Amino acid sequence: MDPVNLVEALEIFKRALPEDAHPLRTFLACGFTPLHLQTFLAAHLRKRLPKQRAEVKTGLFGDLAGSIERLQPSECDILAVVIEWQDLDPRLGIRSLGGWRTTDLPDIVKSANQAAARLEQALRRTSEFISVCVCLPTLPLPPLFTTPTRQAGAYELQLRQLVASFAASISSESSIRVLNTQRLDELSPAQARLDVQSDLMAGFPYKLPHASAIAELLAALIQNPTPKKGLITDLDNTLWAGILGEVGAEGISWDLDQHTHMHGLYQQFLGSLASAGVLIAVASKNDLALVEEAFERKDLILSKESVYPFEVHWSRKSESVQRILKTWNIGPEAVVFIDDSPMEVAEVKAAFPETECIVFPTNDYQAIWDLLKRMRNLFGKSVISEEDSIRLKSIRGAGVLRESLDATGGSLDDFLQSADASIRFTFAEQAADNRAFELINKTNQFNLNGKRLTEAAWKTYLNDPATFVMAASYEDKFGPLGKIVVLLGRIQRKSLRIDSWVMSCRAFSRRIEYQSLKQLFEKFDAEEISFDYQATPRNGPLQEFFTELLGSPLTADMRLSRAAFSEKSPSLFHRVEEAVNG
Amino acid sequence: MDEMETRLVRCFSSVFPDLTAEQIRSASMDSVPAWDSLAAVTLVAVLQEEFGLQINLMDLPELVSFVAVQNYVRKHKAVS
């Protein structure tokens, strides 16, 4: 993290913003005077997103739930909500003199429950239109309870339980992200948060470093950076302790008895990543037979099935990384490489500067612990989708497909006919989930124009009655690929206008793109489809597809008639299904 | 301009970015329209952070010009 003091924040704040930059309008809702929190939040957002016009607006203070209820979703792109205890009941703050008698305590808990319910309703409603980031109460509760401050009393615990339940409930909404109080505790000590004088005199309850820490974490929540997709790990003295070639498969360890438990924790962590859809590969200079023997050990925490591919040989690590990236079909910027040898790390970093390359700190317990936390930040995601759970399987399937094509001498028709493929098309709300949004914003190769959408623009598009969203999921005998096509368009009488069209590179060579167009013509009874096409440095596969289909140079407003499509479309062997209820 | 004055000018500049260093040295609540109560509170926070002072907000009515602020900081910095 990168602490910023108020002078620095004000200086960042006064820097000119790029005129043509994409705006990011954040509405900061809090019950107190936002004052320096607004400055810090704007500064941290501008540091994180220098190419955007990050602006922070605020509404009326003193009525947190009311200001969220009154918010028009068109006014902003993101809502940041900072809740303090006094928003649940004014008597939980120090500016109110509403009474701390023992007889008041049950009523405080009761009214806090009502306030939390109202807040929850307002947040859920707003999250239907824009993304919401929420910071739970951070200040100490005032000494209003009858127990000594060393002892937690029943009413205090009820209030904390209320906030925990509230947080757990709203976090189930995919558009609501809750700031992690454990992380805030690390950055901002509890005793250095409340500024009593400032709260009473200026209505701003935070000491400056605390305001900066909240703003820093909120900015990170708002930015919500794209997680890394794959991790490439070394084996000896990394995944396990010991050199396999010297001590053999039975000599390597990852347990408490041999003081090598941190390697077991590392394995356990990799298993966690794999279960969340992160791709795990091995790049090791080793004897393949020995590695296979080691992975047969029943006590290995990371299962062999979670790893694909294994690059085990004596060639350079950068060559292994190159092959792994090709197998996964992702860019070097999307992976992390971990090895205990600084030399190997340097060699990979030189070949792939965009890759996050990390030296595994063998024998340094604290450093390994810190590494696990750092990796959770690199790979962490808000929601685990169905596609995450099948990603590795579909990549293995793609490998089999390539091998099968090679084996059949390249006859795609024969191969596809025997693939037992099915495509499931979905429309409207059923199509427009997080996965669809993710595909629009990360797909490069089969992408109509490379245009990315903010969460707010995505929701605005979905709420426009003139538009439609179509998605497709695919499965064949090699396994499911999940949702791999998203298409955004609008209906114009007997023709369709396509604004966005992306298809995952995992779905290439299956004629899914033809089936998608066929579905559009049939579903909407369209005579013509026009495309908002734009060449990008990376959408070569899409350009090839259209060049073949249209037989002419591609233009920004290219059109395809139903007749021309029927003439050019190759044989399609998929079973097609349109989902009725998702 | 001594070191303290340089730091003070920087503090003022962060709160009143439109003023030049010369304008800052002659600034007062009467001459700077942007010097409202919000700016005054921000200025106090910046001064506390920059000089490690604990400024009593009851003293705000004293801090009505650059010169007044300079005198206040010199006095309290010497005490702390």
Side-chain angles (χ1 to χ4, degrees), chain A residues 235-251:
Chain A
L235 296 177
D236 292 345
N237 287 330
T238 302
L239 194 70
W240 51 62
I243 307 289
L244 191 58
E246 292 175 4
V247 299
E250 292 306 315

Side-chain angles (χ1 to χ4, degrees), chain A residues 28 57 114 116 144 149 157 240 261 270 287 289 398 424 444 462 491 514 516 524 533 538 551:
Chain A
L28 172 61
K57 293 178 180 172
Q114 290 167 342
L144 77 161
T149 55
L157 291 170
W240 51 62
H261 187 74
L270 264 51
D287 184 309
R424 182 183 172 87
N444 292 308
L462 300 181
I491 306 161
Y514 288 98
S516 299
F524 296 102
Y533 164 76
R538 297 178 69 179

Side-chain angles (χ1 to χ4, degrees), chain A residues 133-354:
Chain A
C133 298
V134 179
C135 178
L136 303 170
T138 67
L139 292 173
L141 279 161
L144 77 161
F145 305 105
T146 54
T147 47
T149 55
R150 65 179 172 274
Q151 182 184 345
Y155 291 115
E156 179 179 353
L157 291 170
Q158 283 174 38
L159 286 169
R160 295 196 187 282
Q161 183 184 34
L162 156 67
V163 169
S165 300
F166 165 80
S169 179
I170 58 171
S171 69
S172 66
E173 291 285 342
S174 62
S175 294
I176 299 181
R177 300 192 280 275
V178 179
L179 190 149
N180 189 339
T181 51
Q182 181 174 308
R183 183 69 185 123
L184 184 63
D185 293 344
E186 291 173 351
L187 296 178
S188 178
Q191 73 277 13
R193 296 181 174 184
L194 175 64
D195 188 328
V196 177
Q197 178 187 237
S198 174
D199 194 3
L200 296 180
M201 304 280 296
F204 184 71
Y206 297 149
K207 290 188 173 171
L208 294 182
H210 182 55
S212 182
I214 290 177
E216 187 172 8
L217 291 181
L218 269 179
L221 268 191
I222 290 168
Q223 182 195 18
N224 200 21
T226 308
K228 302 282 184 188
K229 296 175 187 169
L231 185 146
I232 302 169
T233 184
D234 179 37
L235 296 177
D236 292 345
N237 287 330
T238 302
L239 194 70
W240 51 62
I243 307 289
L244 191 58
E246 292 175 4
V247 299
E250 292 306 315
I252 54 175
S253 64
W254 48 85
D255 53 54
L256 284 171
D257 290 348
Q258 299 183 65
H259 310 298
T260 54
H261 187 74
M262 292 310 283
H263 295 276
L265 271 184
Y266 177 65
Q267 285 186 31
Q268 182 166 275
F269 188 84
L270 264 51
S272 163
L273 291 181
S275 70
V278 174
L279 302 165
I280 309 286
V282 160
S284 172
K285 287 182 177 173
N286 237 315
D287 184 309
L288 181 58
L290 274 176
V291 169
E292 285 174 346
E293 194 184 334
F295 269 87
E296 290 305 318
R297 273 183 58 167
K298 296 281 184 274
D299 56 342
L300 200 73
I301 313 292
L302 179 68
S303 75
K304 186 181 173 182
E305 290 68 38
S306 300
V307 181
Y308 181 78
F310 282 84
E311 283 287 336
V312 180
H313 43 67
W314 301 98
S315 302
R316 284 181 299 159
K317 290 279 174 102
S318 59
E319 290 176 18
S320 296
V321 171
Q322 178 76 63
R323 277 195 285 271
I324 291 166
L325 292 176
K326 191 175 175 197
T327 301
W328 285 348
N329 203 358
I330 59 178
E333 74 289 346
V335 302
V336 175
F337 174 79
I338 297 185
D339 197 302
D340 68 304
S341 162
M343 196 181 77
E344 301 287 16
V345 167
E347 194 260 330
V348 170
K349 187 71 182 172
F352 301 100
E354 312 96 319

Side-chain angles (χ1 to χ4, degrees), chain A residues 27-30 64 68 79-83 119 123 132-136 218:
Chain A
F27 186 89
L28 172 61
C30 54
L64 178 63
I68 297 170
L79 169 63
V81 181
V82 178
I83 306 169
L119 256 181
L123 291 175
V132 179
C133 298
V134 179
C135 178
L136 303 170
L218 269 179

